[in-house]
Amino acid sequence: MVKVEVKPNVLQWVIKRMDNFDRLKDQLPNIDKWINQESQPTLKQLEKLAKMTAVPLGYFFSLIHQRRS
């Protein structure tokens, strides 16, 4: 099982894009732990999050997260 480090600010931005956060938590119950850096997602979980939120997988690996206006 490969764990992937993702910056909390990237996760928070992705979550804000999701209309139904409860559905997201149902599918990925550890997402709060990822945001709080208590745990990291596996690559499969990150792929699932990317698909659910329509965010390209590569975005999660960005070194710098810039907000677009």
Side-chain angles (χ1 to χ4, degrees), residues 7-57:
K7 303 278 186 209
N9 65 326
V10 173
L11 288 171
Q12 290 167 348
W13 179 83
V14 169
I15 290 167
K16 285 180 186 176
R17 294 176 48 105
M18 189 72 183
D19 290 335
N20 189 343
F21 183 67
D22 290 333
R23 179 174 170 256
L24 187 63
K25 284 190 74 160
D26 286 344
Q27 296 292 315
L28 300 165
N30 290 326
I31 196 160
D32 287 329
K33 290 182 180 181
W34 305 343
I35 294 168
N36 296 326
Q37 294 185 311
E38 296 169 17
S39 178
Q40 294 294 327
T42 64
L43 184 55
K44 290 252 185 222
Q45 290 169 324
L46 199 57
E47 288 171 341
K48 186 174 187 176
L49 179 59
K51 185 175 181 178
M52 291 178 71
T53 57
V55 172
L57 183 62

